[in-house]
Every structure is written in C-alpha cells, then in structure tokens.
Amino acid sequence: RRISAASVKDSIFVVDLGSGDAVAEVPGTRGDGTVQAVALVPPPKDYSEEEDTLLFRRISPTAWGDLFECGLSDATPAQPLTRTTPRSHARKLAVPDEVDIDGVHALVYWPRPCAEGTAVQCVVWAHGGPFASHSYEYDPLYGWLASLGYVLVCPHFRGSTGFGLAHMDAVRGDGCGFADHEDMVKTANYVLAGKLVPPEGVTVDVSRGVGAAGHSWGGYLGLLAATREDSPFSCAVASAGIADWAVQQRGTDVRYYDRFIMDGWVYEDAVKERVQRANPDPATLKVPCLLAHGTADTDVPFEQVERFADRCDALTPGDQEKLLQRLFFDDEAHSPSRWSEEHQRKWLETIEQFLKLHLKPWDFTSNPHGEVTAY
C-alpha cells in the first residue's frame, strides 16, 4: 500500500467473508518487508476465549523468507518461528532507503558498510513487468551491485504496481515507452542534480554520469535510455528488452498482454504511429549499451534484438566507434534464474565489467577492456 511517495508497506487484511468487514490489519509496519498470509490457526478447544493466530511469511531485504506468528488483536510484535538466512550472508546484503523523487517512490541501495571518504557511482535499475514492483524484499542482485561500489536507485516508474490503478495504467497506450521513460529520466536528473542524500562520509560521484540498467521491461527502458534524445544516461544495460513492438506482438507467447499494454494490435491504423514512437531507434544510439539476450526467449523474441544489433552495427562507421556490446546466450529463455550456471556467471561478470568500464574512474590498478575503451 502506498503511504506516501516516500513510503510503502505491505499489510495483511483478515476479512469476515460472511459480513465482508475487515476485522484486522496485520502486521504491516514500514520496513518489515513483503508479507504473505499462510494460515489462520484457531486456538485449542480447551482455550475457546483465545483468538486465532495468524501465520505469515515475511521476506525482507536481508532474508529470503521466514515464518512468523501473531494474534489478530494483540499489540505484541509478530514473533519469528524460523531463521533461514545465515547471519553471515545477511550482513552482506544492502537494506534500501526509501525516497521520494519528485513524486516517484524509489528504493535506494547503498554499499554496506560505507567507509569514510567512499565515492560511489549511480546505476538506475528498472524492474520488469511493467506491471510489477521492486518491493521491499530480498533481492541479491541489488545487494551484489551495491557491494561493487554502486548506489542502486530503483524507481517505481509509472506502470509499477502498488501505487494505484492510475499510476499503473499510465504506461498503457500513448504512455508506453514515454511515461515510464520520463520517470527514469527524472530519477537520473535527480541524482545528477545532487539531490540524493548519501550516508555520512560518502559522496555520489557523477563525473562519468549515471547508468541505466534492467531486465525484460527494464531492458526495454535500458534501450530507450541509450537511444532517446532526452536521456541523461551515460551508459545502459539492456537485458532481454523489447526492441521492436511489431516483432514483439507477432512472436511472443504473451501477445494479448502486449496488446493490452499497446492498447491495440500493431497493424491497426490507430496503433501504428504509437508503435513507431515507442520503438527504440538504432539510428539514435548515443551511449555505450550492453545488449544481453537468450536466443530461445519466447517472452521477448530474440529476432527483434538481433535485428536491432545488426542495424546498430550497420549505422556505425568504424569498429572503434561501435557503442553496442552483444551478449547473446544460445538456447536460453527469458529468465536469468533459469539459465545455466555458466551463463548466469557470464551475465553478471559482463555487467560488472561494463559498468566498471563506463562509470568507474581509473584507479591505476585495473583497466577493464572491451570494444569500447574509455581511458
């Protein structure tokens, strides 16, 4: 539930289906993480005066999911019943701050701990969906990137869930590729203007700009960040992103979902212009872009991304000036969690090298290399 642009929380409502009245809201405190109801346990027969006990699962930024219990009317804090995440592992995970970026809620992951005098670079990470959210929950990817010395800003751009239907529906139709992109731009400009408040003794280094990154819909926004004229981003990671809405609607397994987002089929006269505006344009690629994709992806068909990459190469006059880096995985589908361990490792290592090359200052001890050399 949205409490404000700078605060969200999850709640469980226990409802009497006979009367329709909400009889309890539990536990729902800010910062506790995502809560998922498991069961209502009635008291033993011999204790008829006692209330039901709610069992629920809580996922937090430092724990992947434990079982809790609490009473429905008791003010006593919920009690944990399990601990599944080793404490040594939990200490390595970043707990995000919540910020209001001119009306856009965002989670901010700082490297933990940050030593005095630390300078960090910023990556704006867009979630998939678009009808999804980052959520205040366990996400090792964000913690890993933060541990590499980046501050991760994860905005709930228009299209995100949990902020009302109007906020979600704003990404449909003419808003597709524009309302969401505008919120990404707003987030980057917020960082570039020095409005992001770091922990004491830490500075945000924007001398080499701000990076954009994401997977699935986040990969689509990564492509827009690399090609749109109004984009303030200095580099982009576009993983499994949409590059051509005509191919996307024709070839995907989720074509009716994509029709709903585009508010029509791409061949309809009323939709053709909208599709053209929403597509990333290879001719306007202006910053280094890492293009990652599985060749067996049926959610975002690989054909469109391969064609986008070929057009980018054709429009680039010389090898040394090429801005696009390909990372294609044979026989892999849409979700990295289902890729082979070898391909997962390669994906993460390449993202690490790409961001280091294009965002980190030269530290005189390492010099990452690739087709694009920035030093």
Side-chain angles (χ1 to χ4, degrees):
R1 292 194 302 140
R2 180 178 183 173
I3 305 304
S4 71
S7 178
V8 295
K9 75 172 185 177
D10 280 2
S11 297
I12 295 175
F13 292 90
V14 181
V15 180
D16 184 338
L17 295 180
S19 65
D21 295 331
V23 296
E25 177 189 353
V26 289
T29 56
R30 177 173 176 257
D32 277 343
T34 302
V35 289
Q36 300 168 345
V38 174
L40 275 177
V41 181
K45 293 181 179 179
D46 296 340
Y47 300 88
S48 58
E49 294 183 1
E50 292 190 9
E51 62 183 351
D52 292 346
T53 298
L54 173 69
L55 298 181
F56 65 94
R57 184 168 177 253
R58 176 182 290 164
I59 306 172
S60 75
T62 58
W64 52 58
D66 288 311
L67 191 65
F68 286 74
E69 68 172 1
C70 68
L72 299 187
S73 59
D74 194 347
T76 304
Q79 301 299 314
L81 299 178
T82 64
R83 189 179 79 240
T84 56
T85 307
R87 289 172 180 169
S88 59
H89 179 59
R91 283 195 294 266
K92 298 176 183 178
L93 297 171
V95 178
D97 297 332
E98 295 183 82
V99 297
D100 175 3
I101 299 178
D102 300 330
V104 176
H105 176 268
L107 297 180
V108 180
Y109 291 80
W110 297 97
R112 304 288 173 90
C114 282
E116 185 78 18
T118 299
V120 297
Q121 293 73 37
C122 179
V123 176
V124 178
W125 191 282
H127 63 70
F131 305 134
S133 67
H134 290 289
S135 296
Y136 196 95
E137 61 185 41
Y138 178 79
D139 197 312
L141 176 63
Y142 300 156
W144 171 71
L145 285 168
S147 74
L148 297 177
Y150 299 100
V151 52
L152 267 288
V153 182
C154 306
H156 283 114
F157 51 80
R158 277 168 286 178
S160 302
T161 55
F163 299 86
L165 290 176
H167 185 84
M168 184 181 75
D169 283 345
V171 78
R172 295 184 56 227
D174 288 332
C176 178
F178 285 88
D180 44 1
H181 171 71
E182 287 173 6
D183 289 343
M184 289 285 287
V185 169
K186 180 189 294 185
T187 303
N189 286 333
Y190 181 91
V191 177
L192 290 168
K195 296 181 180 180
L196 192 62
V197 180
E200 186 176 354
V202 177
T203 59
V204 180
D205 175 17
V206 294
S207 61
R208 302 194 63 194
V210 173
H215 182 83
S216 194
W217 196 270
Y220 170 53
L221 293 180
L223 284 172
L224 298 183
T227 56
R228 287 279 172 84
E229 182 179 352
D230 65 341
S231 174
F233 293 99
S234 59
C235 63
V237 175
S239 181
I242 297 168
D244 187 321
W245 275 97
V247 177
Q248 177 65 20
Q249 279 196 354
R250 181 179 69 246
T252 184
D253 285 344
V254 290
R255 59 183 55 87
Y256 284 95
Y257 178 80
D258 288 335
R259 179 193 179 278
F260 174 73
I261 293 174
M262 191 53 66
D263 199 20
W265 296 111
V266 295
Y267 52 77
E268 296 173 353
D269 290 339
V271 183
K272 289 180 179 178
E273 183 179 352
R274 181 182 303 145
V275 168
Q276 193 61 36
R277 291 176 63 244
N279 281 342
D281 186 355
T284 57
L285 181 66
K286 63 176 189 172
V287 298
C289 180
L290 173 61
L291 193 62
H293 219 99
T295 63
D297 191 340
T298 56
D299 285 352
V300 181
F302 174 68
E303 173 192 351
Q304 61 189 301
V305 178
E306 185 176 38
R307 182 182 301 173
F308 179 89
D310 289 343
R311 288 185 63 196
C312 285
D313 286 347
L315 291 166
T316 305
D319 287 342
Q320 295 304 317
E321 299 175 30
K322 292 188 185 301
L323 295 174
L324 190 73
Q325 179 179 346
R326 302 177 189 224
L327 183 65
F328 297 158
F329 296 116
D330 291 338
D331 302 321
E332 296 291 12
H334 186 67
S335 174
S337 65
R338 298 184 179 182
W339 294 353
S340 69
E341 185 176 327
E342 177 187 356
H343 287 162
Q344 288 181 6
R345 183 184 298 110
K346 181 66 174 177
W347 183 64
L348 294 173
E349 288 175 348
T350 306
I351 290 174
E352 178 182 2
Q353 184 186 64
F354 178 85
L355 293 176
K356 185 174 184 180
L357 175 64
H358 297 294
L359 288 180
K360 292 287 186 183
W362 189 20
D363 58 9
F364 293 95
T365 62
S366 63
N367 187 8
H369 58 85
E371 290 184 0
V372 180
T373 300
Y375 308 125

